[in-house]
Amino acid sequence: MDWFQALILGIVQGLTEYLPVSSSGHLTIGSALFGVDGESNLTFNIAVHVATVLSTCCILWKEIVWIFKDLVKFKWNEGTRYAVNIIISMIPIGVVGILFKDKVETIFNPDTSAGIFGNPIFLVGCCLMLTAWLLTFSYVAKPRERDDISPWHAFFIGIAQAFAVLPGLSRSGSTIATGLMLGNKKERLAQFSFLMVIPPILGEALLDFKDLIGGEAVAEGVTTAIGTFPLIVGFLAAFVVGCLACKWMINIVKKGKLIWFAIYCAVISFLSLILPYVL
């Protein structure tokens, strides 16, 4: 991977991590189009995901400081309740990651004998269409709004995040659409959706890093050669674009303009389904 390829993939990761269009799906499509095996490079994958976490912390630093200030008071207050809801939202993805991570990766990896999808682009196309439907339902649904995200709603939003392990099923799209259909206010939902993903992404990055330094990734042929400069370029691109996309997405959710992303996902889904036949 050269620096320009790292730049493109870093931009794609930073932009699509927050926009409801699936970062994993777009990286899969981009890798197929440009012949860049970015998804299989574990070092690069860790770097760009950590970069997007840092961009979230940068944009939402006031909310993060507020939560920690309330937590250290050791009282049941608004910040503590918010932190508990984040922990509750992590339960489904934690169960999937701990108990079913290897099985999920095997099932949806077309390079393994157990893979049930002949082409990764086909799976991405199907999941992008599902993302489009979720965004559409959240746009047309008019539930009665509630002021705060309840623990039960946090759990259901967490279930949506767990299903988003499928490439092409947008994490932010799934969690935000689920929250909107449950009646949560737009102003709070985008912020909660971005904060709740910080621990799972960091946890996955730590597990991947453990595999990397333990030699398991090398033994399985997961990593590919990547220089320090391309790695830095990809990291910075994902961080800078991630900051812009995070702030932009919060404003978009507040204005309720997700229907345009539903249309975009539907178009890309259609192109993804015909792409394997023309490449």
Side-chain angles (χ1 to χ4, degrees):
M1 181 187 298
D2 59 33
W3 72 267
F4 183 74
Q5 294 169 338
L7 175 66
I8 296 299
L9 289 179
I11 291 174
V12 170
Q13 168 64 26
L15 184 63
T16 57
E17 179 65 35
Y18 298 100
L19 301 185
V21 295
S22 176
S23 60
S24 61
H26 277 71
L27 283 178
T28 301
I29 295 172
S31 298
L33 286 175
F34 300 109
V36 178
D37 198 10
E39 276 286 275
S40 66
N41 192 303
L42 193 56
T43 306
F44 184 82
N45 197 42
I46 294 171
V48 294
H49 277 84
V50 171
T52 51
V53 167
L54 291 178
S55 66
T56 304
C57 296
C58 181
I59 297 300
L60 299 177
W61 69 270
K62 290 183 179 179
E63 288 76 10
I64 295 174
V65 170
W66 161 68
I67 292 173
F68 277 101
K69 279 185 176 180
D70 275 8
L71 283 175
V72 297
K73 293 177 182 178
F74 299 103
K75 295 180 180 179
W76 184 254
N77 48 41
E78 189 175 355
T80 302
R81 183 173 56 81
Y82 198 98
V84 169
N85 282 342
I86 289 179
I87 294 173
I88 292 173
S89 72
M90 292 165 49
I91 294 175
I93 191 67
V95 171
V96 171
I98 295 174
L99 299 181
F100 305 109
K101 182 177 184 292
D102 294 337
K103 292 182 179 179
V104 170
E105 290 178 348
T106 300
I107 292 174
F108 295 104
N109 183 1
D111 296 327
T112 63
S113 59
I116 61 176
F117 297 97
N119 193 302
I121 305 298
F122 179 81
L123 172 61
V124 168
C126 293
C127 290
L128 278 172
M129 184 57 69
L130 180 57
T131 299
W133 278 110
L134 282 172
L135 294 174
T136 301
F137 286 146
S138 70
Y139 180 78
V140 300
K142 303 295 181 182
R144 183 168 54 182
E145 285 192 344
R146 54 178 298 136
D147 292 332
D148 298 314
I149 298 174
S150 70
W152 274 112
H153 284 192
F155 182 73
F156 285 121
I157 294 173
I159 291 176
Q161 177 177 239
F163 276 105
V165 297
L166 301 176
L169 186 57
S170 169
R171 187 206 62 80
S172 62
S174 300
T175 55
I176 292 174
T178 300
L180 289 175
M181 287 187 283
L182 289 172
N184 295 289
K185 284 189 174 181
K186 303 181 183 71
E187 293 79 6
R188 296 178 176 269
L189 191 54
Q191 172 185 301
F192 183 80
S193 174
F194 294 151
L195 288 175
M196 66 181 276
V197 77
I198 292 178
I201 288 182
L202 288 179
E204 183 178 2
L206 286 174
L207 290 175
D208 289 340
F209 183 71
K210 179 180 69 69
D211 292 342
L212 185 64
I213 62 177
E216 296 178 20
V218 176
E220 296 171 2
V222 177
T223 58
T224 58
I226 179 172
T228 302
F229 183 64
L231 195 64
I232 294 175
V233 170
F235 179 90
L236 292 177
F239 174 75
V240 173
V241 175
C243 288
L244 298 174
C246 181
K247 193 169 184 178
W248 184 31
M249 187 59 192
I250 291 174
N251 292 328
I252 289 175
V253 174
K254 289 179 180 179
K255 296 177 181 178
K257 301 296 184 181
L258 295 182
I259 189 63
W260 298 109
F261 293 103
I263 296 172
Y264 171 83
C265 287
V267 172
I268 299 300
S269 170
F270 174 76
L271 294 176
S272 300
L273 292 175
I274 66 172
L275 191 62
Y277 299 100
V278 297
L279 286 179

